[in-house]
Amino acid sequence: MKLESNTFLGKTFQKFNTNYGTISLVDYKNPVSEKWHYHENIHLSLILQGGNLESRKKNDLQVSTGKILFYNEGELHCNKHTIFPSKNLNIELSNDFFKNNGIKFDGKELYNENTFSSYLKLVNIYHELSFNDIYTSDSIHNILYDLFANTLENNKPSWLKDLTEIIEDRWNEFIPLNELASILNVHPVTISKYFRKYLNGTLGDYMRIVKLKRAFNFLLNSKKSITEIAYICGFSDQSHMTKVFKIYVGFTPKEIRLL
């Protein structure tokens, strides 16, 4: 089944058109088709709420809040067991975006990517939609250019994946650098050097963002108080979590709930 441009299985409730594509916010509140389908254009999704089980030709993937997914044009996939409600930020791009900006990119580096730098760029696009002013189109273009043009090749050290998995698994803890180095059998200086090189930030940044993503999930998916969410997610208190949100996202937790 082919989905035409600007068409998704859920209900689009906000859309922003540009000369290189469309940014859409899509709700999934009712059962949708579980048939195999593909999109007419290159398509990128950030799961803001909920998730599903996604199947592609070679594998199945459990998709949850904070996950980033990339689809090449014509790439077959199907979505099963959708969690209701779910909400996606969907970005549809024409080939002209890549051609005119001199970007040679086929999506492999972003497929199933969940690094904090990519996540933050897409969250920034999400918040740009709330401004929707004369600066929004250029801002979104610049964010997308930075997202795609600065994606590194697949020469990452093998221990880097293990490192990020440890942090994701122990997301509500503070894990000292020396402990991580001991687990991975890698020198602490090496971790610091290559972490910044391949993930565009420090180890401390990454740990904060892992907590931030969990908090973002609770803010959208629960009625827990902001103070309760702060403690659940490993922040020292509500003030600390608010400061992290303001620095990394540009909005406070309270403002996010009002969007």
Side-chain angles (χ1 to χ4, degrees):
M1 178 172 66
K2 176 182 177 180
L3 294 184
E4 302 293 338
S5 178
N6 303 327
T7 302
F8 306 98
L9 296 178
K11 181 180 180 180
T12 300
F13 65 92
Q14 185 176 351
K15 183 168 63 175
F16 185 87
N17 294 314
T18 72
N19 57 3
Y20 48 81
T22 302
I23 317 295
S24 303
L25 288 175
V26 182
D27 266 338
Y28 299 82
K29 295 182 177 179
N30 300 296
V32 296
S33 172
E34 295 188 350
K35 294 182 179 179
W36 287 87
H37 63 279
Y38 64 92
H39 298 272
E40 181 178 19
N41 296 314
I42 293 169
H43 172 53
L44 179 69
S45 286
L46 169 64
I47 312 303
L48 293 169
Q49 181 181 10
N52 57 57
L53 178 67
E54 178 173 286
S55 295
R56 302 207 187 187
K57 283 186 175 181
K58 295 183 179 180
N59 66 310
D60 291 337
L61 175 68
Q62 187 63 51
V63 177
S64 58
T65 302
K67 199 72 175 178
I68 301 170
L69 297 168
F70 185 92
Y71 308 84
N72 281 304
E73 52 190 349
E75 184 173 4
L76 281 171
H77 59 283
C78 68
N79 309 106
K80 302 176 181 178
H81 310 301
T82 300
I83 299 170
F84 301 110
S86 288
K87 181 165 72 174
N88 292 1
L89 170 72
N90 290 340
I91 301 173
E92 201 167 359
L93 296 170
S94 67
N95 281 312
D96 287 342
F97 170 79
F98 298 93
K99 181 179 178 180
N100 294 343
N101 287 288
I103 300 173
K104 295 181 179 180
F105 186 81
D106 65 2
K108 292 180 180 179
E109 290 84 2
L110 269 181
Y111 177 63
N112 296 340
E113 188 60 57
N114 206 20
T115 63
F116 74 89
S117 57
S118 298
Y119 172 81
L120 281 183
K121 289 181 178 70
L122 294 178
V123 168
N124 285 335
I125 289 176
Y126 171 61
H127 289 306
E128 274 294 336
L129 296 180
S130 66
F131 295 129
N132 196 13
D133 57 20
I134 59 174
Y135 307 106
T136 297
S137 183
D138 284 344
S139 295
I140 290 177
H141 180 276
N142 290 338
I143 294 169
L144 286 172
Y145 178 84
D146 189 46
L147 176 69
F148 288 102
N150 289 309
T151 303
L152 296 172
E153 300 299 326
N154 295 323
N155 296 322
K156 300 177 182 179
S158 58
W159 53 261
L160 191 62
K161 183 175 183 294
D162 295 331
L163 173 61
T164 55
E165 286 179 352
I166 291 170
I167 297 172
E168 294 280 349
D169 288 341
R170 298 170 59 180
W171 59 272
N172 59 346
E173 300 179 40
F174 167 72
I175 314 171
L177 176 58
N178 287 338
E179 180 181 343
L180 288 169
S182 177
I183 294 171
L184 299 167
N185 195 27
V186 178
H187 196 281
V189 173
T190 301
I191 291 178
S192 298
K193 175 182 176 181
Y194 283 94
F195 200 94
R196 180 182 290 278
K197 176 180 179 181
Y198 286 104
L199 293 178
N200 301 318
T202 67
L203 184 61
D205 287 326
Y206 192 88
M207 289 181 175
R208 292 187 193 101
I209 298 305
V210 168
K211 298 181 191 307
L212 184 151
K213 288 191 291 185
R214 297 285 180 169
F216 196 91
N217 185 17
F218 280 117
L219 289 168
L220 293 177
N221 291 301
S222 79
K223 295 183 179 180
K224 297 181 186 296
S225 70
I226 293 175
T227 298
E228 187 178 2
I229 292 171
Y231 285 116
I232 290 172
C233 294
F235 294 97
S236 57
D237 53 31
Q238 179 181 334
S239 176
H240 178 215
M241 185 174 80
T242 298
K243 182 178 180 180
V244 171
F245 264 85
K246 196 68 177 177
I247 290 173
Y248 287 94
V249 180
F251 286 76
T252 67
K254 185 177 180 179
E255 289 170 331
I256 286 172
R257 275 192 159 165
L258 294 175
L259 290 175

